[in-house]
Amino acid sequence: MINIYRDNGKVDIDIIFKAEEIISHVFPSNYTDLVTKYDALRLENNIFDFTNVYGEKDERDVNFLSFKTDHIDGDIISNQENVSDISNFGYKNIVLFAICANGDYICFDYRHDAMTKKPKIVLVCHDEFVDHDDGTSSMVINHVADSFEDFIDMLHT
């Protein structure tokens, strides 16, 4: 059950299809169903708990991004560049759909199956990095939920 605090109205499904084309991934249908009705959704029950990569209990808030390019908080496509720019600590096959108040990114994880219709949900920490054996670094990723549906179910006030 979601309790809507505010939203930016409906968004045309063709705009979502265009975004999918740009990012080369298909959003989960339950996510698409939700955001076509409530663009830039803000929920009253907007907190989620997770265990971070250090094994500690943690929590964040969720603020869905807009599909409309003129939205005050930015849009999915322009913010996606921050997550997918490999030369700037990003990842391939990680698709942004929301942000946290502290600047972290909430994303669909397509790394293990680029064609999945039920990607996992991950939190990409914008200011924490992990070094790899090949000398590169990337932002830390924390597993949050096994699906978008599971993510919505875990939200609380």
Side-chain angles (χ1 to χ4, degrees):
M1 177 110 192
I2 61 169
N3 297 316
I4 298 169
Y5 174 69
R6 74 171 192 242
D7 67 84
N8 192 33
K10 294 183 179 187
V11 64
D12 189 290
I13 191 69
D14 290 333
I15 293 172
I16 295 173
F17 290 155
K18 181 67 176 169
E20 290 176 331
E21 184 180 312
I22 290 168
I23 62 171
S24 301
H25 290 286
V26 175
F27 295 112
S29 59
N30 48 3
Y31 167 76
T32 303
D33 292 345
L34 181 65
V35 297
T36 54
K37 297 174 194 160
Y38 310 106
D39 185 57
L41 180 62
R42 299 290 188 262
L43 299 169
E44 289 179 13
N45 51 326
N46 70 335
I47 304 297
F48 63 94
D49 302 315
F50 66 100
T51 301
N52 65 30
V53 296
Y54 310 108
E56 302 164 337
K57 297 290 183 190
D58 211 336
E59 71 176 25
R60 294 287 189 285
D61 65 323
V62 59
N63 298 292
F64 289 76
L65 289 170
S66 178
F67 279 91
K68 300 171 184 173
T69 57
D70 61 347
H71 193 268
I72 191 167
D73 294 329
D75 66 295
I76 284 181
I77 299 303
S78 63
N79 281 281
Q80 176 63 36
E81 295 170 9
N82 296 332
V83 174
S84 60
D85 183 358
I86 294 172
S87 66
N88 192 29
F89 310 109
Y91 291 91
K92 286 185 180 182
N93 297 317
I94 295 287
V95 176
L96 175 72
F97 70 89
I99 57 172
C100 303
N102 74 342
D104 289 342
Y105 308 109
I106 305 166
C107 304
F108 296 115
D109 185 354
Y110 294 92
R111 291 176 299 163
H112 302 291
D113 182 358
M115 302 306 291
T116 186
K117 294 183 181 187
K118 288 191 122 185
K120 293 182 180 185
I121 307 302
V122 295
L123 176 75
V124 179
C125 297
H126 77 286
D127 59 358
E128 292 182 56
F129 304 92
V130 61
D131 295 326
H132 303 289
D133 292 339
D134 64 1
T136 62
S137 297
S138 55
M139 292 179 277
V140 168
I141 291 182
N142 295 280
H143 176 266
V144 174
D146 287 332
S147 68
F148 183 72
E149 191 171 74
D150 290 347
F151 177 70
I152 292 297
D153 287 345
M154 69 191 305
L155 294 175
H156 60 89
T157 53

